[in-house]
């Protein structure tokens, strides 16, 4: 099984994935508060410790698997990197997965429609903010 993530080249996380060849993905539950999403999506790891006060465990390879507000998490080994003008697309083969609980999942549509969330300027989906 493969998963993918697309990140701005300027993000610290992008540098960390490129260097380590690994990344993790958290599948968030619908009830996750926007403050939790904001801690990871709207702040830089250069300025704060994103994992302080967050419940997580480490995969065998050492990647963090966020347990708080997560239904499941995946650890992936990068198998392909696609460079784009402002972003990097990392495609990874899942090496480890864990299911924490059963709960309704937060979809990207829910994030925008229910949570009224916006994409930060560095997100590949920033242009979608203008769509109604």
């Amino acid at each position: 099984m493969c998963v993918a993530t697309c990140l701005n080249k300027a993000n610290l996380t992008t540098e960390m994935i490129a260097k380590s060849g690994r990344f993790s993905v958290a599948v968030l539950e619908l009830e996750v508060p926007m403050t939790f999403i904001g801690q990871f999506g709207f702040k830089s790891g250069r300025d704060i410790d994103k994992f302080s006060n967050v419940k997580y465990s480490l995969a065998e390879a050492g990647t963090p698997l966020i347990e708080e507000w997560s239904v499941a998490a995946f650890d992936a080994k990068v198998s392909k990197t696609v460079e784009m003008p402002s972003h990097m697309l990392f495609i990874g083969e899942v090496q480890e997965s864990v299911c924490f609980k059963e709960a309704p999942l937060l979809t990207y549509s829910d994030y925008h429609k229910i949570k009224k969330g916006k994409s930060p300027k560095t997100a590949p989906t920033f242009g979608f903010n203008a769509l109604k």
Side-chain angles (χ1 to χ4, degrees):
M1 175 172 61
C2 291
V3 293
T5 186
C6 188
L7 303 163
N8 189 284
K9 288 180 180 178
N11 290 358
L12 176 61
T13 304
T14 305
E15 293 174 24
M16 296 171 82
I17 294 171
K19 184 178 178 180
S20 70
R22 298 194 86 85
F23 63 94
S24 59
V25 175
V27 180
L28 299 175
E29 63 180 286
L30 182 61
E31 297 303 318
V32 62
M34 283 299 291
T35 53
F36 187 82
I37 294 170
Q39 180 166 339
F40 288 93
F42 295 102
K43 296 179 182 175
S44 172
R46 290 183 174 87
D47 302 323
I48 67 160
D49 177 0
K50 293 184 178 189
F51 291 91
S52 67
N53 302 316
V54 172
K55 185 178 178 189
Y56 70 95
S57 56
L58 295 177
E60 266 188 47
T63 56
L65 301 174
I66 298 171
E67 297 177 28
E68 190 172 352
W69 297 108
S70 295
V71 174
F74 303 97
D75 163 64
K77 181 178 179 183
V78 175
S79 58
K80 183 170 182 150
T81 302
V82 180
E83 187 167 347
M84 294 177 271
S86 60
H87 287 72
M88 296 292 287
L89 174 68
F90 297 102
I91 301 167
E93 292 183 40
V94 174
Q95 304 295 300
E96 188 176 334
S97 63
V98 60
C99 181
F100 298 117
K101 61 181 148 188
E102 288 192 32
L105 307 178
L106 176 69
T107 67
Y108 203 62
S109 177
D110 293 335
Y111 170 74
H112 286 285
K113 291 180 181 175
I114 297 171
K115 303 282 186 187
K116 306 296 184 202
K118 298 289 182 188
S119 299
K121 289 181 182 179
T122 58
T125 55
F126 177 70
F128 294 152
N129 288 343
L131 299 177
K132 301 283 179 191

